[in-house]
């Protein structure tokens, strides 16, 4: 299996400290516009709270409703909504409205994780994240499936086929197994936490057990949906690509230390170890070795943690569509 669909992902982060939210949102929309013109299948956004250097979008459904009105071809997705911090019924309602407005183009991805300060913001600092997530996901999927919520009243507007477009993000084989049992899509991260046993492993070596657990748990007759998010930054020459990459990784490390985020390493090299950086030919060669990507249905590219600035991001989006993805066997226009 080779990835059938090409997706663009953004965290909506500032590339410069002076950029305001309006500029960040405008740049993201311009990237969506270019992606649609170049034949990308989908555009995905992340949800983050409080810190603009971590991600500038606390309300993804609002942003995606605006995008849906402007870009009639792109499928739109959340990767992810931090469900533990949300009311699951309200999320289901917002998602159902957006799906109606977009003509059934929404993919909704959920996960349990999030930054420490986001959980403090919603008075959940001491909560068992996995337990809260599991409980809220059950409520949300029941609502999307048409379950009665009060008396005989169900979700309004009805969610239609949206339940079949739920995705779960996870770092673990157990989480992948859960997503498979539910018949949901599996979202693989652009980077993976490492312990002593996996210190020298590649990203795909760590993620292969997740893919295997997901496929083994998938019910008969349910088509797999595996989205491999990858940090990809492509430039016209090697030196330019790595100049941006090293600058972005340094900035990312500073932000990570401020936020008390997961330990992804203490050096630029460790931050970039799971990223695919270089010229189109260099990036194709690296991606061709990614066995987890080869088993995926969706290749979802993001420039994080490089975040090279708007113009360099636009050029990378173009090079991926025109020179990288075709060499990886990508087929345009596949329905999902």
């Amino acid at each position: 299996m080779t990835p059938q669909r090409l997706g663009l992902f953004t965290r909506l982060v500032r590339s410069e400290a002076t950029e305001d939210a309006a500029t960040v949102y405008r740049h993201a929309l311009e990237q969506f516009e270019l992606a649609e013109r170049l034949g990308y299948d989908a555009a995905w956004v992340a949800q983050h709270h409080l810190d603009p250097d971590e991600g500038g979008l606390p309300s993804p459904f609002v942003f995606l409703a605006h995008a849906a009105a402007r870009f009639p071809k792109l499928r739109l997705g959340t990767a992810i909504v931090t469900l533990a911090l949300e009311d699951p019924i309200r999320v289901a309602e917002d998602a159902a409205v957006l799906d109606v407005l977009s003509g059934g183009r929404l993919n909704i991805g959920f996960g349990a994780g999030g930054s420490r300060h986001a959980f403090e913001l919603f008075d959940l600092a001491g909560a068992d994240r996995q337990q809260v997530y599991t409980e809220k996901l059950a409520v949300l999927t029941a609502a999307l499936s048409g379950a009665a919520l009060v008396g005989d009243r169900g979700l309004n507007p009805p969610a239609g086929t949206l339940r079949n477009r739920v995705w779960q993000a996870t770092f673990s084989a157990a989480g992948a197994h859960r997503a498979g049992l539910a018949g949901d899509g599996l979202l693989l991260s652009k980077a993976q936490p490492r312990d002593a046993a996996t210190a020298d492993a590649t990203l795909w070596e760590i993620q292969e057990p997740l893919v295997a657990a997901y496929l083994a748990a998938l019910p008969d007759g349910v088509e797999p949906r595996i989205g491999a998010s990858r940090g990809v930054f492509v430039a016209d020459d090697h030196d330019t690509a790595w100049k941006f990459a090293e600058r972005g990784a340094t900035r990312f490390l500073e932000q990570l230390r401020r936020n008390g985020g997961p330990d992804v390493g203490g050096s630029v090299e460790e931050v970039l170890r799971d990223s695919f950086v270089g010229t189109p030919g260099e990036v194709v060669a690296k991606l061709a070795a990614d066995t987890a990507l080869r088993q995926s249905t969706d290749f979802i590219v993001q420039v994080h943690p490089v975040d090279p600035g708007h113009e360099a991001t636009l050029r990378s989006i173009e090079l991926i569509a025109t020179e990288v993805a075709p060499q990886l066997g990508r087929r345009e226009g596949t329905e999902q």
Side-chain angles (χ1 to χ4, degrees):
M1 176 164 55
T2 57
Q4 301 162 355
R5 294 176 290 266
L6 179 63
L8 174 68
F9 174 84
T10 178
R11 293 164 64 104
L12 278 80
V13 296
R14 305 184 299 190
S15 56
E16 301 293 341
T18 55
E19 289 181 347
D20 60 10
T23 301
V24 172
Y25 293 175
R26 176 171 54 82
H27 285 171
L29 291 166
E30 289 174 2
Q31 292 162 20
F32 279 24
E33 181 179 21
L34 177 62
E36 183 176 71
R37 184 159 22 103
L38 291 169
Y40 280 68
D41 299 285
W44 301 75
V45 296
Q47 179 187 47
H48 291 92
H49 298 278
L50 296 180
D51 190 340
D53 292 321
E54 182 183 19
L57 188 62
S59 303
F61 295 120
V62 176
F63 180 86
L64 290 179
H66 180 78
R70 289 189 54 177
F71 311 118
K73 297 179 182 178
L74 281 176
R75 304 190 72 84
L76 304 165
T78 61
I80 56 161
V81 169
T82 309
L83 191 57
L85 307 181
E86 303 284 345
D87 182 306
I89 299 300
R90 286 293 298 118
V91 171
E93 290 178 326
D94 285 348
V97 170
L98 174 53
D99 199 47
V100 170
L101 290 172
S102 67
R105 288 184 285 136
L106 179 62
N107 289 285
I108 41 175
F110 300 108
S115 63
R116 181 184 61 198
H117 60 252
F119 277 77
E120 291 172 351
L121 174 66
F122 292 97
D123 295 324
L124 288 168
D128 182 330
R129 297 186 182 192
Q130 288 295 336
Q131 180 180 345
V132 174
Y133 170 69
T134 300
E135 293 172 353
K136 291 190 175 184
L137 184 63
V139 173
L140 181 141
T141 53
L144 295 180
S145 299
L149 302 177
V150 176
D152 61 353
R153 292 178 174 84
L155 197 68
N156 184 44
T161 62
L162 183 56
R163 172 63 188 90
N164 300 327
R165 285 174 271 129
V166 171
W167 299 69
Q168 295 193 49
T170 183
F171 288 132
S172 72
H177 179 82
R178 177 186 59 209
L181 280 178
D184 295 339
L186 173 66
L187 289 172
L188 301 173
S189 177
K190 68 175 176 58
Q192 193 79 19
R194 286 173 167 82
D195 56 23
T198 59
D200 298 321
T202 63
L203 174 63
W204 50 93
E205 287 171 340
I206 300 174
Q207 291 183 339
E208 282 172 357
L210 278 67
V211 173
Y214 171 77
L215 293 174
L218 208 63
D220 291 341
V222 176
E223 290 294 320
R225 290 177 291 129
I226 304 173
S229 181
R230 294 294 183 257
V232 182
F233 175 59
V234 188
D236 291 287
D237 66 87
H238 175 90
D239 290 343
T240 297
W242 280 97
K243 178 187 72 174
F244 279 118
E246 290 168 358
R247 186 187 71 176
T250 300
R251 186 172 59 236
F252 177 76
L253 275 174
E254 294 169 354
Q255 173 260 315
L256 194 69
R257 290 166 184 149
R258 284 197 309 271
N259 289 341
D263 182 14
V264 297
S267 69
V268 166
E269 292 75 17
E270 288 172 298
V271 169
L272 294 174
R273 68 177 298 174
D274 290 332
S275 296
F276 300 82
V277 176
T279 64
E282 291 170 336
V283 168
V284 166
K286 295 175 185 177
L287 287 168
D290 188 334
T291 53
L293 176 61
R294 287 206 299 268
Q295 296 182 78
S296 300
T297 57
D298 294 71
F299 176 31
I300 305 170
V301 298
Q302 54 178 300
V303 293
H304 320 296
V306 174
D307 297 313
H310 184 49
E311 294 304 320
T313 297
L314 291 174
R315 181 57 176 158
S316 183
I317 291 169
E318 180 180 7
L319 290 170
I320 290 168
T322 59
E323 299 191 34
V324 173
Q327 296 186 60
L328 297 174
R330 182 246 175 172
R331 299 176 301 171
E332 291 189 34
T334 303
E335 292 296 326
Q336 61 179 325

